[in-house]
């Protein structure tokens, strides 16, 4: 009931019609498939745009929820048998987050770079590990930053 009330509050507060409101439940892990379905249905009836199924691990869980819920499904960090994109798409999954892979890759890159420098590598030895100037410009939005600086600071 509390979760439904929160979803209704979020839906009532939505000012931008393109903002997606997602009902989140971790009931698959805490209380099982039937409770997850009950919660997902309640969120769907409240009007959410999608259901975030935290902790989904098996095809059976996804199939069971999808059979009872029409809202699009989101998964968080699902692995193992839940990496088959065709299966997921056929069972209502529209977003399957990949955990913290990008963050983990960034941490490893920083670690490897600092370790190489600490053990005597020179900065020029690390050229193959570095982002190109073009990629840095894209990621840091250099052109936008330049335009904003001119627009706002003269």
């Amino acid at each position: 009931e509390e979760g439904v009330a929160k979803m209704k509050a979020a839906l009532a507060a939505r000012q931008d019609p393109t903002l997606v409101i997602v009902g989140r439940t971790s009931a698959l892990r805490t209380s099982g498939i039937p409770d997850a379905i009950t919660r997902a249905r309640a969120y769907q009836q409240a009007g959410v745009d999608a259901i975030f199924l935290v902790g989904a691990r098996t095809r059976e869980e996804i199939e069971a929820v999808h059979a009872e819920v029409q809202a699009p499904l989101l998964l968080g960090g699902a692995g193992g048998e839940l990496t088959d994109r065709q299966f997921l798409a056929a069972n209502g999954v529209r977003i399957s987050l990949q955990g913290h892979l990008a963050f983990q890759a960034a941490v490893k890159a920083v670690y490897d770079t600092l370790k190489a420098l600490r053990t005597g590598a020179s900065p020029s030895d690390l050229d193959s590990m570095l982002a190109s100037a073009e990629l840095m410009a894209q990621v840091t939005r250099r052109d936008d930053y330049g335009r904003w600086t001119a627009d706002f600071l003269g």
Side-chain angles (χ1 to χ4, degrees), residues 10-106:
L11 290 159
R14 177 168 40 191
Q15 295 177 4
D16 180 348
T18 65
L19 178 68
V20 176
I21 306 293
V22 180
R24 178 189 185 279
T25 180
S26 54
L28 283 173
R29 296 283 59 86
T30 60
S31 52
I33 294 172
D35 189 39
I37 291 170
T38 298
R39 291 169 186 263
R41 279 184 178 166
Y43 289 158
Q44 180 178 280
Q45 289 172 354
V48 300
D49 301 304
I51 305 296
F52 185 177
L53 290 176
V54 176
R57 293 185 185 149
T58 68
R59 288 176 177 244
E60 291 76 22
E61 291 170 337
I62 301 302
E63 289 169 334
V65 174
H66 177 61
E68 301 293 332
V69 176
Q70 287 70 50
L73 303 176
L74 283 77
L75 304 181
E81 62 184 75
L82 297 183
T83 58
D84 179 344
R85 292 181 183 185
Q86 289 179 333
F87 168 81
L88 295 175
N91 284 278
V93 176
R94 296 298 171 254
I95 297 175
S96 181
L97 303 175
Q98 300 302 306
H100 302 297
L101 293 176
F103 179 70
Q104 289 173 311

Side-chain angles (χ1 to χ4, degrees), residues 109-125:
V110 169
Y111 176 83
D112 289 348
T113 301
L114 293 174
K115 183 177 179 183
L117 291 171
R118 183 172 187 229
T119 58
S122 71
S124 63
D125 294 335

